[in-house]
Amino acid sequence: MLSCCIVSEKHLDSLYLGAVTTEINCAIRRMIKQGCIHFYFTFTSKAELLFARLVAMHRQDYPSLKLHAVFPYRRRYAKALQKAQHAKLLSICDEIHVLSEHCHSGAFTEQQRFLISNSETVIAVYSSKGIEEKHHILELAKVYQREVIFCVPLLLPLWLNRHTAKYTMR
């Protein structure tokens, strides 16, 4: 079964939220049309939470869709349960993956590797600043030979034009 994940920068400017919502929704619909069933996300950013809500919304028409939450360690999961909106989102997840009992120096790298290795496609939501800071995630996707779908705020195409040899925009 096909699967995809979302990766994004933690602090995406609210100015881009409407455009990003549209882009993420289009990417999800595209993945559903390609037969994607499994959707992986973390609780790292607004974009990822939006992704999970949109997948949940699409379940009305496609009940076979599976939503997977991924946490680097147990305390991070417990913290998410304390927030009402996060607890509600967790309650609709088909699987919750807690990768380690305790926080350790490689916990977030392990989480990113888990996301990428369990997904054929990566939906990437970054501003030009965010992609400069988080390019290692895209490098990991390249190592695993994953397709990357960019959901781009307004300025990102300028950055991508300078880096087209490194990443494929689809």
Side-chain angles (χ1 to χ4, degrees), residues 1-2 6-7 9 11 18 55 58 71 80 100 123 164:
M1 294 289 160
L2 288 176
I6 185 167
V7 295
E9 63 188 278
H11 302 289
V55 170
H58 284 289
F71 293 93
S100 178
I123 298 172
T164 52

Side-chain angles (χ1 to χ4, degrees), residues 45-109:
S45 71
K46 288 180 191 177
E48 294 188 23
L49 295 173
L50 177 62
F51 170 84
R53 288 186 194 105
L54 288 169
V55 170
M57 180 186 74
H58 284 289
R59 278 179 155 172
Q60 294 171 4
D61 296 323
Y62 304 95
S64 62
L65 300 182
K66 306 293 182 201
L67 192 57
H68 300 259
V70 181
F71 293 93
Y73 51 90
R74 179 114 6 232
R75 193 178 74 199
R76 191 87 170 200
Y77 170 60
K79 193 174 178 180
L81 283 172
Q82 292 173 357
K83 294 183 179 178
Q85 66 210 36
H86 292 179
K88 183 177 179 181
L89 195 51
L90 282 166
S91 72
I92 63 169
C93 288
D94 295 286
E95 288 190 44
I96 298 169
H97 306 270
V98 179
L99 304 179
S100 178
E101 286 302 314
H102 304 286
C103 182
H104 56 86
S105 61
F108 292 99
T109 301

Side-chain angles (χ1 to χ4, degrees), residues 3-6 38-42 51 66-70 97 114-115 118-119:
S3 59
C4 77
C5 69
I6 185 167
H38 299 277
F39 294 83
Y40 291 86
F41 76 104
T42 69
F51 170 84
K66 306 293 182 201
L67 192 57
H68 300 259
V70 181
H97 306 270
F114 181 89
L115 286 172
N118 283 285
S119 303

Side-chain angles (χ1 to χ4, degrees), residues 9 124 126-139 148 150 152-169:
E9 63 188 278
Y126 292 106
S127 67
S128 53
K129 179 183 176 203
I131 202 167
E132 290 282 358
E133 295 171 355
K134 299 290 188 176
H135 71 278
H136 62 280
I137 297 171
L138 299 177
E139 291 293 336
V148 177
F150 287 95
V152 296
L154 305 173
L155 299 176
L156 186 54
L158 300 174
W159 185 91
L160 287 171
N161 286 340
R162 294 192 307 264
H163 297 81
T164 52
K166 285 179 117 177
Y167 307 108
T168 304
M169 187 171 173

